[in-house]
Amino acid sequence: MKIVLLGPPGAGKGTQAEKISRKYKLQYIDTGGILRKNENTKTKKGTPHKYIKKGILVPDYIVIEFILPFIKRAAKQNFILDGFPRSLKQVKLLEKITAIDIALYLEVNQKELIERISGRWICRNCDITYHIKLKPPKKEGICDVCGEKLTQREDDRPKIIRKRTRVFNKSLKPVIKYYEKRSILKRIDANRELKEVWKDIQEIVNKIK
Ligand code: AMP
């Protein structure tokens, strides 16, 4: 089973993708996480960090260099892709590698998104995301897994969030349309609590298993 998970920043993609990956034994590929891990690596088009900090998409040249090898390797088995494809060009790149069974689209309204993202804290070591209200760590400011101090992402500031949401809406529209036409798009109302969203996801995935 090969799944892509689409949704604006703050829709809860990371949390749901981890759950899906664990329950259905799918390899989890988080493109934002991969790019952040390589954010200071120099390429002909500059470092990934140069784009991430502004809230704009990293150019395909860099995406191809850092992300495609992961997808190619994972395509031999089953996977869940979080954060890819983010443009029609990336849809075509992915199609050349493998066919997708289902595209889950987590829809959330703008106000809810800003609230969610501004409460988000991450562990740079494990790349795990916490949230002050929705998913708090056991000890405030400390990662449950490795004990590292949690930090806020540079691109999680309100001004950059708004930019990322705009970028997302513009570049993702044709992606959504594309999967809709192919009848593999499933819209999920992600304004609700995590467990309700998770319940809907399982119902959908269980049908295609
Ligand atoms: P995310 O963690 O998915 O919100 O991604 C954080 C940032 O990483 C985005 O704002 C982009 O700058 C970059 N990024 C992640 N995935 C992609 C992608 N598929 N194509 C281009 N840029 C990406």
Side-chain angles (χ1 to χ4, degrees):
M1 182 167 33
K2 296 187 171 75
I3 302 179
V4 299
L5 189 59
L6 312 169
K13 289 191 304 292
T15 308
Q16 299 294 354
E18 270 172 37
K19 284 167 139 343
I20 298 170
S21 149
R22 227 175 296 131
K23 171 154 184 182
Y24 299 99
K25 302 198 171 33
L26 309 180
Q27 193 172 335
Y28 173 30
I29 306 167
D30 163 22
T31 60
I34 296 170
L35 290 170
R36 276 192 295 280
K37 281 225 161 81
N38 290 286
E39 68 182 4
N40 295 317
T41 311
K42 290 195 179 86
T43 77
K44 269 192 257 167
K45 301 245 169 178
T47 61
H49 182 245
K50 182 174 148 189
Y51 304 93
I52 294 172
K53 73 172 179 195
K54 289 187 199 151
I56 56 177
L57 288 186
V58 170
D60 284 327
Y61 172 85
I62 298 179
V63 168
I64 288 169
E65 182 171 335
F66 291 119
I67 296 171
L68 280 205
F70 278 90
I71 300 179
K72 280 185 182 155
R73 238 174 287 139
K76 293 183 186 127
Q77 298 153 29
N78 294 323
F79 63 66
I80 169 130
L81 258 178
D82 166 5
F84 191 98
R86 262 177 151 102
S87 64
L88 209 48
K89 182 151 183 227
Q90 292 185 1
V91 170
K92 306 280 174 185
L93 281 171
L94 179 59
E95 224 170 36
K96 275 195 198 145
I97 300 172
T98 189
I100 295 301
D101 297 299
I102 198 152
L104 299 173
Y105 177 27
L106 304 185
E107 293 184 286
V108 192
N109 68 49
Q110 173 88 3
K111 190 172 161 269
E112 176 76 24
L113 284 181
I114 306 269
E115 259 175 49
R116 283 190 192 177
I117 302 182
S118 39
R120 198 151 85 166
W121 288 82
I122 64 160
C123 170
R124 299 228 169 247
N125 192 27
C126 311
D127 210 35
I128 295 177
T129 305
Y130 297 88
H131 191 280
I132 336 175
K133 279 196 219 147
L134 306 170
K135 193 186 165 195
K138 289 188 186 100
K139 198 170 161 206
E140 198 185 314
I142 303 291
C143 176
D144 291 349
V145 178
C146 72
E148 191 86 2
K149 236 177 135 187
L150 302 177
T151 52
Q152 235 179 344
R153 270 168 56 174
E154 203 179 358
D155 58 348
D156 276 352
R157 289 192 222 110
K159 191 175 155 216
I160 306 294
I161 299 169
R162 277 191 280 276
K163 173 90 188 165
R164 283 167 64 204
T165 315
R166 271 200 303 275
V167 167
F168 168 84
N169 285 331
K170 192 164 170 252
S171 61
L172 212 78
K173 247 185 205 151
V175 176
I176 305 283
K177 258 196 179 157
Y178 181 88
Y179 287 130
E180 205 154 36
K181 257 195 175 159
R182 303 214 132 192
S183 308
I184 58 168
L185 186 85
K186 298 283 175 200
R187 291 173 187 270
I188 297 162
D189 174 6
N191 290 296
R192 299 167 303 157
E193 286 198 16
L194 286 175
K195 57 174 190 282
E196 290 178 61
V197 176
W198 173 229
K199 194 168 155 260
D200 280 10
I201 290 179
Q202 291 172 87
E203 270 170 24
I204 294 168
V205 177
N206 286 342
K207 276 188 203 145
I208 56 155
K209 248 173 65 181

